[in-house]
Amino acid sequence: MSTPNPMHSRRAAPTMRPKIKLKLLYELNGSSCLARTQFPVDVFAANDIAFANFKQCFSAINSASPEILASASETDYAVYVADCTEADEPMVGRGLLSQLLARPEVDISDTSTLLTGGVVSGRITSSLLSFIPGHAQETVEIRLRFVTIHKASQIASLMSMFLYSSIQQSLSDEQVSQICDGRWISDLQEQGIWEQLLEFKNSVLAEDDNPTRRIISPKKALSPFQSSPITVAPALSAPSVNPDEGIRLVGKISDPQSSSGLLSSSPSRHQTIIRSGRAQEIDKAKEQGQVEKENGNECYNCRTLHASSWRKCTTHDDDGVFTIILCNPCGLWFVNKKEHRPRKYWGKMRDGRPIPPSKRGPRKKSDKTTLVKAEKKPVLKLHDKPLGIQTSIDLTNDARKSTPSSQNPTPVSSHTMAPTPMGSTPVPSHHTQGLNRTHVQENPHLNKRPFQALTQSLQQPPEFESSQTLASRTASLPVSDRGAKRHKTDVASRPSCDAVHSAAIYKPTQFQAATSSPAVTPTMESTATMPSSPGTQTRSNRASAPGSPPRTNSASSSTPFLQPKALPPLPPITPQKVRLTPSKKDKTPDFLVGLSPSRWLSAYLGSSRSPSQFSSHTSPVDHNTVNFFSESDLFTESPFRGLYQGVRSEPFTQSTAGSMPPPSADDDYNMNVLPSSPSIFRMYKDNSDLFSSSSQSTEATSPINKLQQIARNSPDAHKSLEESEEIGNTNKTNKA
DNA sequence: CGCTACACCCAGCTCATGCC
DNA sequence: GGCATGAGCTGGGTGTAGCG
């Protein structure tokens, strides 16, 4: 998009321009999208810059992306709009979407409103569709960006701000209220939370003459909230609230945003910060000495903080499938009986007596496992599971040092908040009623590979202590002896990691299928259709599984077709072969990105990464076919990473130009292309067959083959194939 | 860069204990 | 003795660090 410098534009009197359609290029969840207003609207234009009402823009956006408001009970959005009045058209934040929508509609003819949040600026361009009769000659291009903000983070952010202001003393109550302006603040005020925050702040100031040196204890920081339930302030609609329980803001709730991967999911980091109702009763009892140990987990069913082990179980409700954390007895009960352990058993023996500490281990053996788990320290991991909320309370490292779990054997109240630096963690309030729930379906970071998590963390604002800080803090921590002990007995019989991985990938059934069927070549394509979650294999079937691939200590010997060691030789052109490579861990990508052979090859050959560094499912094998990738794979670990990083911000549009004809209406899929690079296109998962298709799908009528044919028919593709053969010959010559 | 050693998680399993 | 309960154990799965 050409962006003439407005400073050099010829000046013209600003006027109202009636009946112009808006072209809205917006970024949502990392995807570039396009929407157009259905009907022309009036804009206020000066030179080639036009001002339009934000609500009119959002109306069109909402029509195109209804998920924005569909998730309004859980998320809000920070809105950024390209400011065309500046030379470089920076993205300027306009505040929360809920705030913008709550504002009265502005009159754009009133020039005093042009710089307010309710008005957005765009650039007037000539419409490419002007050849269509009745279509406007001009359109206004407006660029926006929507950044997801989870509701719970708003509360956390607010609390951080209050605590920060209490320390800094530089922000008055009025300033804080101005900063925190929004509907969610109103909700807090209606619930009386706002006043409690003010009281808390004042109490902090009254107690200490020098608050800047003061370390606010997490427990005290929460004191204002312990007496009353807190509901998560809704921005667009109120979440359902169980009046019996109140709402516990935080448990181990999955958090796509916060799972930047820089912190571990170690239980000690999952802290409940705001609780009420029955949970408070339990807390009270625990504070009276009934807590033997606490490692941060809380049973979803009985709310106990004590368990010899914690068990994850998958269940579902109206909101979908989610994972819950259960204590050992509740977990066993749930697994065996498919129902939650009745309340009468909670914390009691069957005869109703509370379980005395001495009876908590029928076995008289050493309590090694228990000790290990109790003393378990957070470990730096990049790939860990979603984090619970990390609401900011302690603002100094000193505070963090003062209460490490290993140095503080006193049972920690569940009110305690995990100390984190300033800056709250966005946490979705998927389920404000339930603790320890991890939404499986809604968490795109689950099972992310480490560099995926890292990449995504880099896109997030820094929220936690740095990885270096964490690493240094964890480096001196004592090491569990269990792993070492077990390792001594295991290691001799255990295959290498790679061999283990190979065994995990190639389960007996797949292995047999791959080897028994002559039509199936044992290549990476096999991974495309395999089920994930190898951990679900039972011990018995693990041990007795016939046909298991032989394990050796040599990964290459057990998996000859994994991870090619060098640039693969150029295979013959096989037009019918299409490779589907959705990640085994990312089973439901939003869409696949297709690359024509030319793009594939150029990106591959231009990659600096060794082929062996690619995961198996993205290893370059065949450059002669249309290759499909899930976006996450393409973006994070494919040889096309750089390529796709460069184009992912560009809008994909319906395929109407270049060598990529639009799919016919009969096709049950959506295909969009990048106008500047028709060889890069997206296949949306409307076509479920795309994901269920095996790599051997050769039906000429499949959309994939149509796409393949399209790509291969492009002059771009032929050229690339010729080039690839040349390169292949060159490689052979060089090797010789 | 590839491999190995180490560490940790967790689902499934084992079995001690107590009740009926 | 059978059954229920629940703590502890086992070992596969997987990530990371370090070494050659």
Side-chain angles (χ1 to χ4, degrees), chain A residues 463-474:
Chain A
E463 295 161 343
F464 303 110
E465 57 189 326
S466 69
S467 57
Q468 286 184 339
T469 308
L470 247 189
S472 63
R473 288 204 302 120
T474 56

Side-chain angles (χ1 to χ4, degrees), chain A residues 486-501:
Chain A
R486 188 164 52 78
H487 181 76
K488 291 174 183 174
T489 59
D490 285 356
V491 68
S493 60
R494 287 179 63 188
S496 67
C497 278
D498 286 346
V500 171
H501 293 175

Side-chain angles (χ1 to χ4, degrees), chain A residues 467-695:
Chain A
S467 57
Q468 286 184 339
T469 308
L470 247 189
S472 63
R473 288 204 302 120
T474 56
S476 60
L477 296 175
V479 175
S480 163
D481 63 342
R482 183 181 175 194
K485 180 210 71 173
R486 188 164 52 78
H487 181 76
K488 291 174 183 174
T489 59
D490 285 356
V491 68
S493 60
R494 287 179 63 188
S496 67
C497 278
D498 286 346
V500 171
H501 293 175
S502 308
I505 293 173
Y506 297 95
K507 292 181 177 181
T509 52
Q510 287 133 11
F511 187 81
Q512 287 175 328
T515 53
S516 61
S517 171
V520 179
T521 305
T523 64
M524 258 58 75
E525 284 88 331
S526 301
T527 63
T529 55
M530 77 177 192
S532 61
S533 182
T536 56
Q537 216 173 4
T538 64
R539 182 186 297 177
S540 56
N541 62 26
R542 282 196 301 254
S544 62
S548 299
R551 292 183 184 175
T552 71
N553 282 333
S554 169
S556 58
S557 62
S558 62
T559 58
F561 40 83
L562 270 184
Q563 301 191 2
K565 304 299 181 188
L567 204 64
L570 296 170
I573 297 176
T574 52
Q576 295 305 314
K577 184 177 182 183
V578 172
R579 192 155 61 100
L580 286 179
T581 58
S583 164
K584 67 184 178 70
K585 290 191 172 184
D586 187 12
K587 292 182 290 187
T588 57
D590 290 335
F591 50 80
L592 297 181
V593 178
L595 297 175
S596 74
S598 62
R599 279 291 184 182
W600 199 97
L601 187 68
S602 61
Y604 171 37
L605 296 177
S607 171
S608 61
R609 295 188 67 189
S610 163
S612 63
Q613 287 182 282
F614 304 139
S615 69
S616 59
H617 54 282
T618 56
S619 290
V621 173
D622 185 358
H623 59 270
N624 286 330
T625 61
V626 178
N627 293 275
F628 291 93
F629 296 84
S630 69
E631 189 189 30
S632 60
D633 282 347
L634 192 65
F635 181 56
T636 57
E637 56 179 322
S638 77
F640 322 108
R641 179 180 182 175
L643 166 73
Y644 195 56
Q645 278 181 318
V647 303
R648 69 197 301 265
S649 60
E650 296 183 38
F652 282 73
T653 60
Q654 285 291 326
S655 172
T656 56
S659 59
M660 301 287 287
S664 71
D666 296 335
D667 293 331
D668 186 21
Y669 64 95
N670 295 326
M671 183 184 74
N672 290 358
V673 302
L674 198 65
S676 60
S677 300
S679 54
I680 302 177
F681 44 90
R682 283 177 173 172
M683 288 278 294
Y684 287 85
K685 66 179 179 181
D686 292 23
N687 177 24
S688 56
D689 292 337
L690 186 62
F691 295 89
S692 59
S693 297
S694 70
S695 59

